[in-house]
Amino acid sequence: LSTDPLAAAEAGLTASAEDVRQRGLQTLLAETRKKPPQREGDAGWGLFVRALNDPAAGVRREAFKAALNQGVA
């Protein structure tokens, strides 16, 4: 198992099941609260983009709220 939380978040966000993608997003949010990504290339930026473009409205909504709350540019 990977000990990298962002790798775990990526695995969750790329899953086919919406509930697994939700858990991947929660892992991403827990990790980016420490240091929110501010520009492309920062750790977690691409995962936020993926979550904001998720097919499930619930995942997109939570990602959008988190991006606003964390000040992700």
Side-chain angles (χ1 to χ4, degrees), residues 19-39:
D19 64 320
V20 178
R21 293 194 312 273
Q22 283 281 5
R23 289 194 299 261
L25 177 60
Q26 294 308 312
T27 302
L28 172 64
L29 300 182
E31 188 62 21
T32 58
R33 274 188 202 100
K34 301 169 190 171
K35 185 174 187 263
Q38 296 299 309
R39 63 188 61 84

Side-chain angles (χ1 to χ4, degrees), residues 11-72:
L13 287 169
T14 58
S16 60
E18 180 180 349
D19 64 320
V20 178
R21 293 194 312 273
Q22 283 281 5
R23 289 194 299 261
L25 177 60
Q26 294 308 312
T27 302
L28 172 64
L29 300 182
E31 188 62 21
T32 58
R33 274 188 202 100
K34 301 169 190 171
K35 185 174 187 263
Q38 296 299 309
R39 63 188 61 84
E40 189 174 353
D42 286 355
W45 180 273
L47 297 177
F48 260 109
V49 171
R50 181 185 304 267
L52 288 166
N53 289 301
D54 194 89
V59 175
R60 289 192 312 268
R61 183 174 40 253
E62 288 303 312
F64 183 74
K65 289 191 303 188
L68 290 177
N69 288 334
Q70 291 186 13
V72 175

